[in-house]
Amino acid sequence: MRAVVQTVARAGVTVDGEVVGAIDDGLLVLVGVTHTDTTETARTMARKVYELRILDDERSAADVGAPILVVSQFTLYGDARKGRRPSWTAAAPAEVAEPLVDAVVEALRQRGATVATGRFRAHMLVESVNVGPRTILLDL
């Protein structure tokens, strides 16, 4: 499982003209799933995201109660080492990935996080105003 974590002043996801998830002053987390990921991987990712000391004064979302916007992002497993057309073979198929992205969201909520989400399998418009910018790649 991979996640790109960005500090944001605001972020939102729009699907078909409707805002389906939005936050202010928190973390935008793009999550990619591969074939070997499990619910345990999802719980570990949630813990790492929630406790990641990426906010001001080396604080975490857990420390300050910052909201988190989670968006599934299969392209994090794109491989463009050969040629110009990425291969997506390392990305888990949707029927495997969706429940694991949901497991990340649920594990974050169980830890006390306020979580907004995108919509799986939808054409999403993701907007963000990054702070810093601070961006971290978590790769489990």
Side-chain angles (χ1 to χ4, degrees), residues 27-131:
L27 300 176
L28 170 60
V29 182
L30 307 175
V31 177
V33 178
T34 193
H35 304 282
T36 57
D37 290 333
T38 64
T39 54
E40 184 58 35
T41 311
R43 285 191 293 269
T44 300
M45 182 60 78
R47 179 185 56 77
K48 291 196 66 90
V49 165
Y50 198 48
E51 296 176 0
L52 184 64
R53 297 186 173 280
I54 191 174
L55 298 171
D56 291 342
D57 301 319
E58 295 185 11
R59 299 186 76 194
S60 67
D63 294 333
V64 301
I68 301 169
L69 174 59
V70 175
V71 179
S72 85
Q73 186 74 32
F74 78 92
T75 60
L76 290 178
Y77 278 98
D79 183 353
R81 289 178 289 181
K82 295 181 182 176
R84 295 174 294 160
R85 183 177 303 169
S87 167
W88 310 112
T89 59
E95 48 282 345
V96 172
E98 185 173 12
L100 291 175
V101 172
D102 290 345
V104 170
V105 170
E106 182 57 31
L108 284 165
R109 289 180 175 148
Q110 287 175 357
R111 291 180 166 278
T114 299
V115 183
T117 65
R119 187 172 296 155
F120 205 89
R121 293 189 188 189
H123 180 75
M124 296 179 279
L125 300 177
V126 181
E127 297 178 276
S128 67
V129 175
N130 295 7
V131 174

Side-chain angles (χ1 to χ4, degrees), residues 13-20 123 125:
V13 177
T14 302
V15 176
D16 295 329
E18 172 193 0
V19 176
V20 296
H123 180 75
L125 300 177

